[in-house]
Amino acid sequence: IHIDTFYDRASLVTKAVGPHMIARRSGKVINVASMAGTVDVSGFTAYGASKAGLIQLTRVLGLEWARYNIQVNAICPGYFLTPMNEAFFATEAGQRVIKQAIPARRLGRPEELGGTVIYLASAASDFMTGTTICIDGGQIMQWTHTFISVDDPGSILFNPGMGHLGAGLPFANAAKLAHPNRPVVCVTGDGAFGCTVQELETAARYGLNILCI
């Protein structure tokens, strides 16, 4: 359902209106992707894949249609309050996600997408194409370093993002100092090759748990 809803339909609409835009040598395409299409989010396989495909569609069409004076761009919203998610974000687990995963410490409001959409639809963006704009309260910058385990609210899970343990140690140590009674797990994506002896010794000194995958 996610591929059909979030990729196929956008692709089909673009395919339908594209020839008319090319004929008049003018047009704007604004795709609504998601930050889930730019980072790895466990449990969002189909959704993330569909949004990643939409981002790539934006880039390729931006390249192919630039000669026809057609701009193709996308926005990537973060966590915005909607009727679909408001019940979860009202819970203790939802509030924890807001506080720990979003630097702005709040959810986005739908009206905060309007200014960017207006810009992309206006002549002010005529020299801009194939671009993806994240509107997420800074979450995408923090995402590669921090993941909150909703299933185990007593733990904090860190992912350095670049597959190297050293990138995540300062963040993990800060979390350990802030929450001395909560287990902190630091993940490295390259197995033992992502950990140097010095980094492992430092992690042990901090009292951190290391998971090499």
Side-chain angles (χ1 to χ4, degrees), residues 2 6 9-11 22 27 29 33 41 49-51 68 73 75 84 108 118 122 129 150 172 176 187 197 199 205 212:
H2 287 305
F6 298 117
R9 296 182 186 184
S11 177
I22 290 174
V29 177
V41 185
S50 66
K51 292 299 187 177
Y68 304 116
N73 295 289
I75 60 174
M84 184 180 295
I118 291 172
S122 73
T129 192
V150 176
K176 186 69 175 179
V187 180
V197 173
E199 287 168 351
R205 187 167 64 250
C212 296

Side-chain angles (χ1 to χ4, degrees), residues 195-208:
C195 312
T196 67
V197 173
Q198 291 81 5
E199 287 168 351
L200 289 174
E201 290 177 346
T202 300
R205 187 167 64 250
Y206 289 162
L208 304 174

Side-chain angles (χ1 to χ4, degrees), residues 153-198:
S155 68
I156 304 173
L157 177 63
F158 275 78
N159 181 351
M162 297 302 290
H164 204 275
L165 179 62
L169 284 178
F171 298 92
N173 186 44
K176 186 69 175 179
L177 293 174
H179 305 280
N181 296 321
R182 295 175 63 184
V184 177
V185 180
C186 197
V187 180
T188 177
D190 287 338
F193 296 102
C195 312
T196 67
V197 173
Q198 291 81 5

Side-chain angles (χ1 to χ4, degrees), residues 16-103:
V17 302
H20 301 283
M21 291 182 174
I22 290 174
R24 71 183 188 186
R25 304 187 74 83
S26 176
K28 300 280 187 178
V29 177
I30 306 170
N31 290 318
V32 181
S34 168
M35 66 175 190
T38 65
V39 296
D40 307 323
V41 185
S42 177
F44 287 77
T45 304
Y47 180 78
S50 66
K51 292 299 187 177
L54 191 55
I55 291 171
Q56 187 65 9
L57 178 70
T58 299
R59 292 171 177 167
V60 174
L61 287 182
L63 178 65
E64 293 179 350
W65 289 359
R67 71 189 69 181
Y68 304 116
N69 191 34
I70 300 171
Q71 292 78 51
V72 185
N73 295 289
I75 60 174
C76 283
Y79 289 164
F80 278 71
L81 186 63
T82 69
M84 184 180 295
N85 63 30
E86 60 182 355
F88 168 72
F89 283 117
T91 66
E92 182 179 344
Q95 289 298 306
R96 187 165 56 251
V97 169
I98 293 172
K99 292 177 181 178
Q100 296 187 25
I102 307 174

